Amino acid sequence: RKVEAMRAMALGQLFADLKESWGGNDRATWMADGWTMIRNAVLRLKLEGLIAEEQLQLLCDEVKQQLECDEFNFAAFESLCAGLAEKAQVKVSGLVKRFRARLGLPLCP
């Protein structure tokens, strides 16, 4: 349980940091919708070594279908990260560390 709680906390902080880098919580200030923003972030941060661009799009579509929602929210972000980690055969914590390192954020917020 402690591991799950720490993973959720790390993902929550990363999600908040990503949104801040996109302009904050007000989605109207983002350059595009959340799904486009996260795809661009993965590709821009050179995390594409984890997954090909086409697979990333398919994974995003899978998450939308799973959640039965097009909205990019924390649940979608968490599912996407779990899917990315699974496809890349890395732990979610390792994925979070890579994201944070590429964003120039402290590894332990």
Side-chain angles (χ1 to χ4, degrees):
R1 286 183 178 244
K2 184 178 179 182
V3 170
E4 289 176 20
M6 292 187 70
R7 181 179 107 166
M9 189 171 66
L11 282 170
Q13 186 61 54
L14 178 59
F15 185 60
D17 290 338
L18 278 170
K19 289 191 306 181
E20 188 62 35
S21 75
W22 299 342
N25 284 325
D26 182 4
R27 294 167 194 250
T29 63
W30 297 359
M31 292 173 42
D33 68 281
W35 289 103
T36 301
M37 297 297 285
I38 193 63
R39 281 193 309 269
N40 290 346
V42 169
L43 297 173
R44 184 185 77 246
L45 297 172
K46 304 209 184 310
L47 294 173
E48 72 273 6
L50 295 173
I51 188 170
E53 186 172 356
E54 299 79 27
Q55 288 179 314
L56 178 59
Q57 180 60 52
L58 288 173
L59 182 58
C60 289
D61 292 342
E62 248 176 62
V63 169
K64 288 180 198 178
Q65 186 176 14
Q66 240 177 12
L67 298 177
E68 297 177 355
C69 179
D70 282 344
E71 182 184 352
F72 186 74
N73 53 27
F74 180 70
F77 177 71
E78 187 174 31
S79 294
L80 182 65
C81 286
L84 273 172
E86 182 182 323
K87 289 196 183 296
Q89 298 179 350
V90 298
K91 291 182 178 183
V92 172
S93 61
L95 181 71
V96 169
K97 287 178 186 174
R98 284 176 85 167
F99 253 115
R100 295 190 71 74
R102 297 291 172 103
L103 286 169
L105 297 168
L107 296 182
C108 298

